[in-house]
Amino acid sequence: MLRSWAALRNLIFYLKMPEGLAERLYFEQARDFSRIIIAISLLGLSTIGLLFLEFRANAQALLHDAVMLTVALCYCALIGRARRWLLHRAPTGADAHLYIKNMIRLIALLGVLWSVLLILLLRHENGDQVALLYGIMVGCLATPVMVSPLSCAIAYWLPISVGIVLALILARDLEVLTLLDLTSFIALTGFCILFLNQRLNERVIGTIRLEENAELIKLLLRDFEESSSDWLWETNAEMKLQRVSPRLAEVARSPAATLSGRFPEALLGEAAACVGHPGSPIERLRQVIEERAPFRDLVVPVQIQGEERYWSLTGKPILDKSGRFAGYHGIGSDITGQRRQQEQIAFLARHDSLTKLPNRLMFDEVLHRACEKSAESGVALLCLDLDQFKLINDTHGHATGDAVLVAVAERLNGCLRERDVAARLGGDEFAIIVMSDDVAEIGAVAGRIVERVSSPYQFEGQSVRIGASIGISRAPQDGDNASALLKTADLALYRAKADGRGAWRFYDPEMDEILQERRALRSALALALPRHEFELKYQPIVNLADRHILGAEVLLRWHHPERGVLGPDQFIAIAEESGFVGPIGEWVLQQACLEAARWPEHISFAVNLSPRQFRDAGLVENILAALRHAGVSPQRLELEITETTMLETSALTMAALWELHGQGVRIALDDFGTGYSSLSYLQRFPFDKIKIDRSFIRDLGDEKDDSSIVLAIIGLAERMNMIVTAEGVETGEQAMLLTSYGCAQAQGHLFHRALSPEKFAEVVAADLRIDDWSDCSSPDPATLS
Ligand code: C2E
Ligand code: CA
Ligand code: CA
């Protein structure tokens, strides 16, 4: 009982409601209440008027009139207050609360006055007036059912109910049945008041909440647009843009007013206005809109003031209450930056960052596709290698090296037709796919490339030259897949380089045979050391001034089980490629040291080192150990390195050279003049000796001789405190000229060929002065034996 009273109290006085809600509720109800109360009051006034006329002649009429007048005044007060409230400009929730409170008092007074009036009238009715009074009672009871808020309804219903019961009890003739009937009606109206008011309150509260939510959503959306790069869009059923937000107008770079056209054309500009190809993003967007389907993160290109940008659009159809399409709403964002970044990442993944040419990944794909179509159209693969590129890096620096690569890439592109593709495979390796089966045409492209790439480059006032060699293979003749084509083009490139730099060669199956031969040689080479098939020969080096032997160059020979004696030129390159040169070189050194230990102390020996040997971190230790083991002083050893070694120099190579030099081992620069002859090498390391290549010596004394070069080298060496040895001296004239030029040492067939250790020991022991400088230029097979 107590609990239901508490619930009723809560319901009547809006207790236990969240803060502000009761006031909001009063506020919402005040307007409707005012309108209804005016209507009720007008009806009440007319009823009072009716009663006045009816009961005018009755006893106690004065008292009745007084009460009726008070009731009428109450109605007038209610009308007055309600009108004032309706005319109130900006009422607040608190005002509403106060207004309702005042109205409750007035209504309660009205209820009490009506009760008094009914009691009085029922006691003095004249018999015919009973029906009218019962009717008024029912009317009075039914009135609060129409009133909300509940407090007002109860304020009227309660006194009127009590009054009616009292009036019936105090009536002249107590009609028990009527009393019972009206009491049930009182209960029914009481229930209806509670029930309907509760329902009404729920509705109003629901509306308030909805409004609050809508307000909140509006705030959140505004906040969303202001704080993010995204924007909202909305259309009506005709797909015309609605409520264009400032943010949307900003990204579309046009005033909001001009964006009221049809979606998507009005928004996306020319890109959407024209008909896209089927499957294009614009067409997909049009299709989903036509199907009234939702879409998510659809990326579409947009033309904004001539600039192409990308928008990501998400949209959802809106349906009205009857389920009819009412438009679209959604969000959009400008993802141009993101998209450009993605495009750049995709580009970088498939292109070389320096030259912007396709990289190996993309090249492989293109070649693969070209091979698939090669049966119909023919494809040629050109593998290009830059000659002496390392030298550019070494002499001009890496920045120039990079600039050369970029320039080469540009020139390559300039030599190609649109359907051909040039790629950088790495380092100074390039590849070109030429879509043609015409040998003459392919050859012309290759020739053009070699010519263009080889013409000088100008960088910061410096002229840089570089050569190019090209190997060409064709599909399907030389291989019908990418890897076969690459292999055959590589063989052709190998051949092009061997034939002299700046050449281009088509693949020939013969090259395969050479490759087979190299493979066989390689297998045999793997067994040569354990099978003791190597032998060392010693070519005496002569002091030109007194013609005595100073030392020897150690030269390697291989007694091949089937092919007889092979010179280093026939197998050293293979040994280098296959990694055998390390152990072979070590054997040469140990063997030479042991041999030198038998010679007189003043006889030195020169050992050739291949560039690959410098990759061995134990090289210095091995050399010193070999010397120690044989008991030979490091001062007697000379190491001959070529310019290739210097080209491939690494910190490791330089450290090894300095270490050996520090130990007293002399270092000679071999084959000087044949390679890149970069003077920077001479500055980078203090060589003890320069060996002039025999190609310069060969023509000495001829009409078109190289004496000026030889003279220059000798002069340079003298200034840099280096000894010069001339190689391949075959004639007395050459020896005489060299002597007159001031060349200190020489070796060559004129003096001695490469000798067996026994023979060399013999020659040294005899210590013969070589006086007979007769020519010995005729080829002598004994060179290799
Ligand atoms: P290189 O260092 O220039 O050696 C001199 C080459 O010229 C030797 O050829 C020698 O036999 C040849 N020669 C000497 N005098 C004359 C001459 O008057 N006329 C002619 N036509 N030729 C002459 P070889 O022995 O065939 O050696 C070729 C190259 O092999 C050497 O060139 C050297 O770079 C390399 N080599 C030789 N032995 C070794 C070695 O043990 N290890 C390494 N890594 N390379 C070696
Ligand atoms: Ca040499
Ligand atoms: Ca040499």
Side-chain angles (χ1 to χ4, degrees):
M1 179 72 191
L2 263 175
R3 213 190 277 166
S4 46
W5 167 239
L8 190 64
R9 259 179 39 139
N10 286 343
L11 188 62
I12 296 172
F13 301 110
Y14 299 160
L15 302 173
K16 284 208 172 164
M17 266 192 188
E19 212 180 309
L21 187 60
E23 279 188 0
R24 261 313 296 279
L25 206 54
Y26 278 129
F27 186 81
E28 291 301 323
Q29 290 170 336
R31 183 185 302 254
D32 294 343
F33 166 75
S34 303
R35 287 197 184 119
I36 286 175
I37 214 70
I38 290 173
I40 289 173
S41 301
L42 288 174
L43 186 72
L45 280 174
S46 61
T47 311
I48 286 293
L50 201 71
L51 280 177
F52 173 72
L53 293 176
E54 184 62 40
F55 284 87
R56 214 175 13 177
N58 285 34
Q60 303 277 332
L62 208 62
L63 178 64
H64 297 169
D65 289 350
V67 179
M68 277 187 221
L69 185 65
T70 325
V71 170
L73 284 175
C74 257
Y75 275 129
C76 290
L78 278 176
I79 291 172
R81 281 193 187 171
R83 250 198 95 235
R84 231 175 301 135
W85 177 258
L86 286 174
L87 296 175
H88 198 318
R89 281 248 177 91
T92 63
D95 293 339
H97 193 190
L98 195 69
Y99 165 66
I100 297 283
K101 241 165 118 184
N102 290 334
M103 290 299 257
I104 286 172
R105 283 193 207 118
L106 211 53
I107 285 169
L109 178 66
L110 189 70
V112 172
L113 286 172
W114 262 113
S115 300
V116 172
L117 190 62
L118 285 172
I119 292 168
L120 288 176
L121 292 181
L122 211 59
R123 282 181 66 85
H124 299 109
E125 41 86 23
N126 61 14
D128 296 339
Q129 292 162 335
V130 176
L132 174 67
L133 288 175
Y134 283 170
I136 289 173
M137 280 180 199
V138 171
C140 281
L141 278 174
T143 305
V145 176
M146 295 173 252
V147 173
S148 173
L150 185 60
S151 45
C152 293
I154 297 283
Y156 187 68
W157 175 82
L158 204 62
I160 210 93
S161 302
V162 174
I164 285 170
V165 172
L166 281 176
L168 286 173
I169 294 169
L170 299 175
R172 271 192 298 156
D173 311 305
L174 176 65
E175 293 271 357
V176 180
L177 272 179
T178 311
L179 179 67
L180 273 178
D181 188 38
L182 272 171
T183 318
S184 326
F185 190 62
I186 288 170
L188 176 69
T189 49
F191 171 77
C192 284
I193 288 168
L194 288 178
F195 179 75
L196 291 177
N197 260 282
Q198 190 168 10
R199 277 294 140 91
L200 214 65
N201 282 2
E202 278 169 7
R203 261 214 195 155
V204 177
I205 291 172
T207 315
I208 292 170
R209 292 255 149 87
L210 258 175
E211 272 175 24
E212 281 175 357
N213 280 350
E215 197 57 35
L216 184 71
I217 288 169
K218 226 156 109 189
L219 275 173
L220 286 175
L221 290 181
R222 194 179 318 140
D223 191 52
F224 163 82
E225 278 206 331
E226 276 167 11
S227 63
S228 80
S229 59
D230 300 353
W231 31 265
L232 301 162
W233 60 275
E234 192 182 334
T235 74
N236 61 11
E238 282 82 51
M239 288 310 289
K240 291 225 168 113
L241 281 170
Q242 303 286 297
R243 284 187 279 275
V244 175
S245 69
R247 173 97 193 99
L248 174 52
E250 186 192 323
V251 286
R253 289 188 212 157
S254 37
T258 61
L259 290 172
S260 53
R262 265 180 72 82
F263 180 85
E265 289 79 7
L267 201 56
L268 307 189
E270 300 142 38
C274 54
V275 182
H277 61 84
S280 71
I282 296 278
E283 283 309 308
R284 276 214 317 274
L285 179 63
R286 279 210 187 102
Q287 202 174 339
V288 283
I289 287 174
E290 221 154 87
E291 290 165 5
R292 305 295 186 229
F295 51 92
R296 199 176 176 79
D297 301 329
L298 199 81
V299 176
V300 286
V302 197
Q303 289 291 332
I304 298 177
Q305 293 174 358
E307 185 193 346
E308 184 169 62
R309 299 192 71 82
Y310 290 92
W311 285 0
S312 166
L313 295 176
T314 294
K316 214 175 134 189
I318 321 166
L319 301 180
D320 65 12
K321 278 186 194 134
S322 53
R324 264 190 322 226
F325 173 73
Y328 262 95
H329 65 177
I331 55 171
S333 51
D334 189 314
I335 54 156
T336 314
Q338 214 176 315
R339 173 97 180 197
R340 301 242 157 96
Q341 235 171 11
Q342 277 170 359
E343 279 172 357
Q344 199 172 2
I345 291 169
F347 181 86
L348 286 178
R350 294 161 61 76
H351 291 80
D352 168 45
S353 55
L354 178 69
T355 60
K356 307 287 180 278
L357 288 181
N359 63 12
R360 187 174 275 277
L361 183 78
M362 186 170 169
F363 166 78
D364 282 347
E365 282 172 21
V366 177
L367 184 61
H368 193 76
R369 260 183 275 134
C371 282
E372 280 173 357
K373 285 196 231 141
S374 64
E376 303 139 35
S377 51
V379 173
L381 171 65
L382 280 62
C383 278
L384 179 144
D385 197 70
L386 296 179
D387 303 331
Q388 307 163 13
F389 179 68
K390 176 110 188 354
L391 185 68
I392 305 266
N393 268 340
D394 281 357
T395 48
H396 300 276
H398 282 268
T400 307
D402 285 354
V404 167
L405 289 174
V406 172
V408 166
E410 275 167 17
R411 290 189 187 182
L412 273 182
N413 275 333
C415 295
L416 301 180
R417 299 159 308 174
E418 202 155 298
R419 56 182 191 273
D420 305 330
V421 179
R424 182 178 173 215
L425 304 186
D428 59 348
E429 264 180 77
F430 293 84
I432 301 106
I433 299 169
V434 177
M435 305 293 184
S436 170
D437 59 354
D438 181 348
V439 180
E441 189 182 22
I442 300 163
V445 172
R448 206 159 56 228
I449 291 175
V450 169
E451 191 197 316
R452 287 228 53 205
V453 170
S454 310
S455 50
Y457 299 80
Q458 300 298 330
F459 294 113
E460 292 166 5
Q462 283 187 45
S463 178
V464 178
R465 265 183 180 279
I466 196 155
S469 308
I470 295 180
I472 309 165
S473 62
R474 294 185 303 138
Q477 296 91 327
D478 306 335
D480 57 1
N481 59 63
S483 69
L485 265 193
L486 269 167
K487 202 187 96 187
T488 43
D490 220 39
L491 280 174
L493 175 64
Y494 186 81
R495 183 55 181 268
K497 283 176 154 184
D499 287 354
R501 295 167 191 282
W504 48 273
R505 292 284 174 272
F506 277 96
Y507 168 76
D508 182 327
E510 219 177 69
M511 294 172 186
D512 233 4
E513 281 162 31
I514 296 168
L515 184 79
Q516 298 299 341
E517 208 181 290
R518 284 173 72 84
R519 281 209 190 113
L521 218 53
R522 197 191 133 127
S523 312
L525 201 57
L527 301 169
L529 209 52
R531 287 185 179 167
H532 307 289
E533 288 169 1
F534 289 120
E535 186 203 2
L536 294 182
K537 294 267 177 176
Y538 300 86
Q539 183 172 42
I541 299 171
V542 179
N543 183 349
L544 281 177
D546 61 13
R547 304 183 187 183
H548 281 292
I549 293 171
L550 299 160
E553 178 173 1
V554 183
L555 297 166
L556 183 62
R557 301 288 176 263
W558 177 19
H559 292 268
H560 190 280
E562 286 146 26
R563 299 175 52 183
V565 180
L566 300 180
D569 287 339
Q570 288 163 282
F571 64 86
I572 283 290
I574 300 170
E576 285 185 331
E577 272 168 30
S578 50
F580 299 138
V581 83
I584 294 172
E586 211 172 302
W587 177 85
V588 170
L589 254 154
Q590 288 165 355
Q591 208 56 32
C593 286
L594 291 173
E595 205 59 56
R598 298 196 198 122
W599 307 333
E601 274 292 314
H602 69 278
I603 300 292
S604 63
F605 62 112
V607 174
N608 292 287
L609 281 189
S610 99
R612 270 292 288 256
Q613 285 177 267
F614 282 92
R615 291 195 206 161
D616 178 5
L619 175 72
V620 175
E621 195 34 51
N622 287 342
I623 294 171
L624 297 177
L627 288 166
R628 267 198 311 271
H629 179 70
V632 175
S633 130
Q635 280 74 15
R636 289 179 63 194
L637 174 63
E638 207 169 81
L639 294 175
E640 295 190 3
I641 62 169
T642 58
E643 284 177 86
T644 318
T645 304
M646 290 309 285
L647 259 181
E648 290 174 16
T649 80
S650 63
L652 203 66
T653 313
M654 290 313 281
L657 286 178
W658 279 106
E659 168 81 22
L660 290 164
H661 198 250
Q663 294 285 334
V665 176
R666 278 169 293 154
I667 313 289
L669 188 58
D670 202 357
D671 301 343
F672 191 77
T674 51
Y676 316 110
S677 303
S678 166
L679 295 180
S680 69
Y681 301 139
L682 297 176
Q683 282 162 349
R684 226 185 290 171
F685 190 80
F687 288 98
D688 299 285
K689 182 187 263 190
I690 293 178
K691 295 189 80 171
I692 306 178
D693 190 69
R694 70 167 179 268
S695 55
F696 296 105
I697 310 301
R698 192 170 45 218
D699 301 332
L700 279 186
D702 286 4
E703 264 173 37
K704 276 167 63 186
D705 68 11
D706 288 316
S707 50
S708 53
I709 297 176
V710 173
L711 263 171
I713 297 172
I714 294 168
L716 179 88
E718 209 170 274
R719 230 164 298 141
M720 294 181 82
N721 221 9
M722 292 183 290
I723 292 168
V724 177
T725 301
E727 290 186 314
V729 180
E730 294 183 349
T731 67
E733 192 189 357
Q734 288 165 353
M736 302 241 269
L737 273 170
L738 285 165
T739 315
S740 69
Y741 292 161
C743 177
Q745 303 176 356
Q747 66 186 91
H749 292 173
L750 172 65
F751 313 108
H752 290 287
R753 292 171 186 273
L755 307 173
S756 67
E758 300 78 30
K759 184 76 185 159
F760 179 73
E762 220 176 85
V763 172
V764 168
D767 191 19
L768 288 174
R769 195 184 121 97
I770 302 152
D771 286 324
D772 178 17
W773 280 5
S774 55
D775 284 8
C776 51
S777 50
S778 55
D780 184 352
T783 309
L784 294 178
S785 56

